[in-house]
Amino acid sequence: MHGAWAWSAAPAAAADTEMSARLDVAAISKSFRGLRAVQGASFEVPAGGIVGLIGPNGAGKTTCFNMIAGVFAPDAGEVRLDGRRIDGWRPDQVCAAGVGRTFQIVKPFVGLTVLDNVIVGALLRSNDVPSAKKLAEGIVEKLGLGPKRDLPASALTLPDRKRLEVARALATQPRLLLLDEVMAGLRPTECDQMVAVFRELNRAEGITILLIEHVMRAVMALAQRIVVLHHGEVISRGTPEEVVRDPAVLESYLGEETEV
Amino acid sequence: MIARLLEGVPRRGLVALGALLLLLLAFPAFASGYLLSVGFLILYFAFVGQAWNIMMGFAGQLSLGHSLYVGLGAYAAAALYVHFGISPWIGLGASVGIAMLAGAVLGFLAFRFGVAGVYFAILTIAFAEFARIGFDHFSWVQGSSGFFLPVANYATNDLWNLRGSPRMFYYLMLAMSVAAFVACHALLRSRMGYYWQAIRESPEAAQALGVNVFRYKMAAVVISAAMTSLAGVVFAFYYNNLFPEQIFHISRSIELILGPIIGGIGTLVGPLVGALLLTGLAEGMREVMLQLGVEVPGVKQVFYGICLLLVVMFLPHGVWPPLARRLGLERGAGGRGGH
């Protein structure tokens, strides 16, 4: 397993010397039929870091994700991965460049087994099916899906489908992992397990993570820095402790009595 | 290579396939001329069903115009033979090339401009209809009055020019069906097979995992077209006459997809089981009714309709998947051999 992940660790070290940002989002905007979903949002994700993107429903978080992942091109602004512009690329090109993503509304390949789902992702950087299978088996174990690997994905419960989303994205061996609400619907213990998995990935393999999350318990536990979006604009950024005390954030999103 | 092909295939499945193959090999020894022609038809539909299944069953792209590739393949090889005396074994190069080109144009138009689902199916019908009308006025191959090959002398088998007895055609079709089965099995467990199934299940998720959806959909159409055109070549030399009104007709497209639908879309054995059930039972029933002195025109079509209805109502995934489970041949752990 560790051999397989060496690929993603190496660029991280190189990037540290030249530029600090794994992902650099500069003033991106997107409108849908005149509705401004995102306006001039800028933020960075340092190599090896974990950044949380939070905000109320409709704040433009998923739209930001979709612009980074290549689902839409931004109307204005730039997205750079390790200094290279990737905005306007197709999703498969963005993935090949090293960005793995999950979907908020899970999209498992329901007719395939859990393992085959993950093999599809693993094939991206494997020369053949047997080596992809080997890689996929390790990831399936890591995400706790081992006992269910031969079940069709249609048989999985929602928390397991979320795990499968993560497993598939990880199988593409990303330099940057985009997680779109993977904790939603999980019980607190399941949520803590998931947090532990990401921490371990981050610590042991140096994987960089940008996560959208409503579950503040997970965000506070994981994120080193938080960016808050509201009405498509960044209204606050900083460490988790700073952000939860920011009056603007309390007013628009967290509410005054939030406990974390 | 062979070891990898067999990996994960249940032993019982291999034994069953081996027994079936032996039976099919021995079949001409005890079959009458009529039964042999039924056997040929079953293998023919098993082959084209397998080819169509690559597009629909594996990659999830519904084609209702596969008669296009049968017709193009048939006309290309037949015309080269009649006009220039070129052996169909060489002519099939042109058949495959033309069919692949037609598939590529169709695929490019559809996938480049986001024509999907029902609209894609309609586009495939449009291409077949376009060919039907075009060939009606194509004087090089006699247009609507039909294109005829010199009728074969059944006494000798000339495999090089595909002039010979029904038995020769039976064995040729058997070899093609076996090759198609093995090829589809290998394709399904290749990178391409995984990507096709991912695209079938969710194109967005496949793309997010780095799959170039356009490229792999194109590959599915082009490979399926190439395979189908080979069936067209055999069709032309077996029947010795080609009419655009028949060969490109939409009913031919529908006929060739019934087998895999009834047998089980996306499975390897489904097209074979479907062809066996439909063609075998329909012809058998006709024969029995003939013996009884009852003559009802259109009984085959009614039979097809009833089969489809029953399958849709009771076996939505086709006959094969539940049958495989009953026989203990479902896919083993980590493989898709039981397909």
Side-chain angles (χ1 to χ4, degrees), chain A residues 46-90:
Chain A
I50 303 182
V51 173
L53 189 58
I54 66 171
N57 287 325
K61 304 183 297 292
T62 296
T63 303
C64 271
F65 255 39
N66 282 335
M67 283 190 275
I68 297 166
V71 178
F72 333 113
D75 297 335
E78 293 180 4
V79 179
R80 290 176 187 272
L81 182 73
D82 288 323
R84 184 158 62 136
R85 273 188 77 163
I86 58 165
D87 50 273
W89 290 18
R90 287 196 315 267

Side-chain angles (χ1 to χ4, degrees), chain A residues 1-9 135 139 142 170 173-174 205 207:
Chain A
M1 271 320 300
H2 287 282
W5 288 91
W7 186 90
S8 54
L135 173 63
I139 291 168
K142 191 177 297 189
L170 278 177
Q173 294 175 263
E205 284 139 22
I207 193 161

Side-chain angles (χ1 to χ4, degrees), chain B residues 12 56 148 164 176 178 279 284 297:
Chain B
R12 295 171 68 176
M56 177 61 195
F148 297 90
M176 286 168 65
V178 171
T279 312

Side-chain angles (χ1 to χ4, degrees), chain B residues 7 27 79 93 112 115 130 137 161 167 195 202 288 291-292:
Chain B
E7 191 198 326
F27 182 70
R112 181 69 187 75
V115 179
F130 183 74
H137 304 280
N161 285 316
R167 182 176 291 203
Y195 284 176
S202 168
V288 166
Q291 298 286 328
L292 294 174

Side-chain angles (χ1 to χ4, degrees), chain B residues 21-32:
Chain B
L21 184 60
L22 278 179
L23 186 74
L24 289 171
L25 279 171
F27 182 70
F30 52 81
S32 67

Side-chain angles (χ1 to χ4, degrees), chain A residues 152-250:
Chain A
S154 56
L156 295 184
T157 58
L158 184 66
D160 280 339
R161 287 178 184 218
K162 299 254 173 188
R163 287 192 189 98
L164 182 58
E165 283 282 320
V166 176
R168 270 194 328 202
L170 278 177
T172 65
Q173 294 175 263
R175 292 191 254 183
L176 170 69
L177 185 59
L178 304 177
L179 302 173
D180 196 349
E181 295 204 28
V182 289
M183 315 283 181
L186 265 58
R187 284 195 288 268
T189 49
E190 292 167 337
C191 181
D192 290 345
Q193 279 171 12
M194 197 77 125
V195 165
V197 169
F198 293 132
R199 274 213 173 127
E200 178 59 20
L201 282 168
N202 179 254
R203 191 191 58 77
E205 284 139 22
I207 193 161
T208 307
I209 298 174
L210 174 63
L211 72 156
I212 293 179
E213 200 52 72
H214 278 300
V215 180
M216 285 310 287
R217 179 189 177 92
V219 182
M220 297 304 286
L222 269 176
Q224 293 141 3
R225 297 188 70 76
I226 291 179
V227 176
V228 187
L229 272 180
H230 187 47
H231 293 317
E233 291 175 78
V234 175
I235 58 162
S236 178
R237 67 184 85 216
T239 64
E241 293 73 24
E242 288 165 4
V243 165
V244 295
R245 286 195 200 91
D246 186 331
V249 178
L250 290 174

